[in-house]
Amino acid sequence: MAEPLPPTRSRIPGSGLAKGLAVTLRTMTRKTVTEQYPDVQPDLPPRTRGVIGLFEENCTVCMLCARECPDWCIYIDSHKETVPAATPGGRERSRNVLDRFAIDFSLCMYCGICIEVCPFDALFWSPEFEYAETDIHELTHERDKLREWMWTVPAPPALDPGAEEPKEIAAARKTAEKLAAAQAEPTAPTEAAEPSRPTEPEGGAS
């Protein structure tokens, strides 16, 4: 046999309305927390995903960010230049020169994959978010605009006091210490050797 259902409690008419009014009364007595934007800028977290900044000097045109982008919203154009040999008899080298780097933010979904896969730290998150446009075609920002956003990127957070020193800083510090030690070593003055005089025979000249 099926078990009998538990008895249902009888609801007081108007109890839901009373609860709603109680919430309203509690909220009316609290201080408002509305931010007066745009008169007062919001205090954003340091890791806010606002817009992507480009540090052009680090870009090697490896195209990794454009290939890994799931929205295909990164456009890169480049050409190759020949670099003459640095030493006589050396080989000439070719390097990629960046001509265009643009991001279509009307397609970007702010996943951050392009920033994570960049092997040379050329892309960074900026907390800037005021770049709305009236025309969707103007949301494709070129490298000049991306470079301007680069200067709004916050500094990286400090390392934990107990963490190991980064290898790059340790290597640079050791090199600087060796250079300073080499410059501090006193250089011994070299005395000029005097020409040897011929010895006169005993008894004088005959």
Side-chain angles (χ1 to χ4, degrees):
M1 295 179 59
E3 296 181 359
L5 297 176
T8 58
R9 296 182 180 179
S10 59
R11 298 185 59 182
I12 301 175
S15 60
L17 179 61
K19 290 182 180 180
L21 291 176
V23 173
T24 303
L25 291 175
R26 287 198 305 268
T27 307
M28 289 176 60
T29 58
R30 296 176 183 175
K31 185 180 179 180
T32 58
V33 292
T34 304
E35 296 184 357
Q36 301 301 322
Y37 177 82
D39 297 332
V40 179
Q41 292 293 324
D43 188 13
L44 300 175
R47 298 182 65 182
T48 299
R49 295 189 177 189
V51 77
I52 299 173
L54 170 66
F55 192 55
E56 188 176 339
E57 284 76 4
N58 286 358
C59 181
T60 60
V61 201
C62 64
M63 305 291 292
L64 192 58
C65 57
R67 291 198 301 267
E68 296 295 332
C69 177
D71 292 332
W72 293 87
C73 64
I74 301 177
Y75 311 109
I76 300 176
D77 293 331
S78 65
H79 69 277
K80 288 190 176 182
E81 287 185 355
T82 302
V83 180
T87 57
R91 293 173 52 188
E92 295 182 346
R93 296 185 178 182
S94 62
R95 65 184 182 94
N96 294 325
V97 179
L98 184 65
D99 294 330
R100 185 194 183 199
F101 195 108
I103 299 179
D104 187 357
F105 286 99
S106 65
L107 299 177
C108 178
M109 64 179 182
Y110 304 91
C111 62
I113 293 179
C114 58
I115 298 176
E116 294 178 3
V117 301
C118 180
F120 301 104
D121 292 335
L123 298 174
F124 296 87
W125 278 119
S126 167
E128 291 292 322
F129 61 92
E130 296 176 323
Y131 54 95
E133 301 290 347
T134 56
D135 187 359
I136 192 174
H137 298 289
E138 296 180 359
L139 284 174
T140 301
H141 295 288
E142 300 292 334
R143 63 177 182 175
D144 295 337
K145 188 63 177 178
L146 301 179
R147 179 61 179 265
E148 292 179 8
W149 282 324
M150 182 61 207
W151 308 123
T152 63
V153 174
L159 296 176
D160 188 88
E164 296 182 358
E165 187 179 26
K167 296 181 180 180
E168 296 83 357
I169 298 179
R173 180 174 50 79
K174 290 181 180 179
T175 304
E177 290 176 355
K178 289 181 180 179
L179 182 60
Q183 293 177 351
E185 291 180 358
T187 55
T190 56
E191 298 180 357
E194 296 182 357
S196 59
R197 297 179 181 178
T199 57
E200 296 181 356
E202 296 181 359
S206 55

